[in-house]
Amino acid sequence: MAENSLRVHPKGYARIDSLGKTYAPEGKTVRALDGFSLEIEGGSFAAVVGKSGCGKTTLLKCVAGLEQPDRGKVIFRGGKIGIMFQDPRLFPWLTVKGNLALALPGKEKKSPLLDETLALVGLEGWGGAWPRQLSGGMAQRASLARCLCRKPDLLLLDEPLSALDSFTRTHLRKELEKIWRRLGLTVVLVTHDIEEAVYLGDRVILMDRGKVNREFNVPLRRPRDFRDGSFQKICAAIDSAAGNLP
Ligand SMILES: Nc1ncnc2c1ncn2[C@@H]1O[C@H](COP(=O)(O)OP(=O)(O)OP(=O)(O)O)[C@@H](O)[C@H]1O
Ligand SMILES: [Mg+2]
């Protein structure tokens, strides 16, 4: 694709083009990605659902550049890509702020940006705490802050809420939506939870065996209501499509 055509897209735009990735541990080959293609508009929120092992984490790693695909390419309009995993992965020997600072180049380490980002995720005043003093939800907030302080244009989230209890998960889901809107981020969220996908996504992408099986638009006003008939209808459609996969 020509550079010129990229310029018309706002920051955060990405085009994932026929990605293929095969792992070959001990001689047996596993095709984790098998022609995955998706176009992501800047500022949008895409939610990816699919069975365990269908290639979701591999997809995010390839988009983030942590894994090299065997074929296909990712075209990205913007500066940085941030990725966050299911577990917070904070360094236990650094404070919360120390963990954030590590993600930044030298001159920004002491900027007000760190405090601002902590406030944004609801961890105001917790910069001096040690990771072991945080609850699971707080640790995920810290992990999100570490991603956000680098000011990514595209944020890749790999089941960031799955390990949390349902109260914390419901709360952080709302927070995540607010942060996405406030910062004008582009987000790709991987989740096992269809309701979470429909709550957050502009679209829900059902993935199967390394590629897109189906896309579902979610044309509902935000913030969304789980008890809404139209909300439940979309969930049921995705659930049924997922259930019909081999
Ligand atoms: N580093 C690796 N070496 C070998 N095989 C791998 C590696 N990473 C992933 N795989 C295999 O690739 C396939 C896709 O894995 P991936 O982690 O992307 O799935 P996933 O959709 O994220 O699953 P889950 O929902 O359980 O997190 C699986 O069969 C997995 O065993
Ligand atoms: Mg995974």
Side-chain angles (χ1 to χ4, degrees):
M1 181 155 132
E3 267 296 305
N4 285 343
S5 50
L6 264 183
R7 288 205 190 100
V8 301
H9 293 286
K11 267 193 168 184
Y13 169 87
R15 208 182 76 196
I16 302 169
D17 226 349
S18 315
L19 282 191
K21 174 75 183 174
T22 301
Y23 294 108
E26 292 139 24
K28 81 172 185 340
T29 57
V30 178
R31 196 166 289 172
L33 292 178
D34 190 13
F36 187 101
S37 296
L38 188 70
E39 196 166 22
I40 299 161
E41 289 306 330
S44 67
F45 200 125
V48 178
V49 295
K51 275 206 287 233
S52 179
C54 75
K56 304 180 296 295
T57 296
T58 306
L59 169 72
L60 294 192
K61 284 182 174 169
C62 285
V63 173
L66 300 176
E67 288 277 9
Q68 200 57 41
D70 315 322
R71 63 188 168 85
K73 58 180 187 290
V74 177
I75 292 156
F76 172 57
R77 162 91 174 81
K80 290 177 207 146
I81 299 178
I83 186 164
M84 180 181 159
F85 299 95
Q86 184 172 359
D87 52 320
R89 303 189 183 192
L90 300 169
F91 292 111
W93 59 85
L94 293 172
T95 61
V96 168
K97 223 170 175 175
N99 270 281
L100 264 61
L102 208 61
L104 294 173
K107 61 179 187 326
E108 287 178 47
K109 284 189 193 300
K110 291 209 157 60
S111 73
L113 176 70
L114 295 185
D115 289 316
E116 282 165 24
T117 315
L118 285 174
L120 183 71
V121 300
L123 282 182
E124 205 158 17
W126 285 88
W130 299 97
R132 65 173 181 277
Q133 298 174 299
L134 306 178
S135 68
M138 289 164 85
Q140 277 307 66
R141 287 168 190 268
S143 177
L144 178 61
R146 180 175 53 186
C147 263
L148 293 177
C149 71
R150 290 178 61 243
K151 303 204 165 152
D153 300 299
L154 175 61
L155 183 61
L156 308 173
L157 304 173
D158 195 358
E159 312 217 26
L161 309 179
S162 302
L164 305 172
D165 65 85
S166 69
F167 289 108
T168 313
R169 201 159 63 215
T170 307
H171 182 63
L172 280 187
R173 209 177 265 166
K174 292 180 185 154
E175 297 284 296
L176 189 59
E177 180 176 42
K178 280 189 205 149
I179 291 170
W180 161 68
R181 296 183 94 171
R182 179 151 358 141
L183 301 183
L185 285 167
T186 309
V187 176
V188 179
L189 166 81
V190 160
T191 174
H192 270 117
D193 185 334
I194 291 176
E195 288 198 332
E196 182 168 297
V198 175
Y199 184 84
L200 287 167
D202 298 321
R203 294 182 288 169
V204 178
I205 289 104
L206 176 61
M207 188 173 174
D208 177 46
R209 286 165 294 171
K211 53 172 162 298
V212 174
N213 178 273
R214 237 177 109 179
E215 270 188 41
F216 297 82
N217 279 321
V218 187
L220 303 176
R221 278 218 326 263
R222 296 175 186 269
R224 295 169 178 166
D225 188 345
F226 286 79
R227 292 156 305 184
D228 221 45
S230 40
F231 186 100
Q232 286 302 330
K233 216 167 145 190
I234 296 173
C235 289
I238 299 169
D239 200 41
S240 141
N244 285 332
L245 296 175

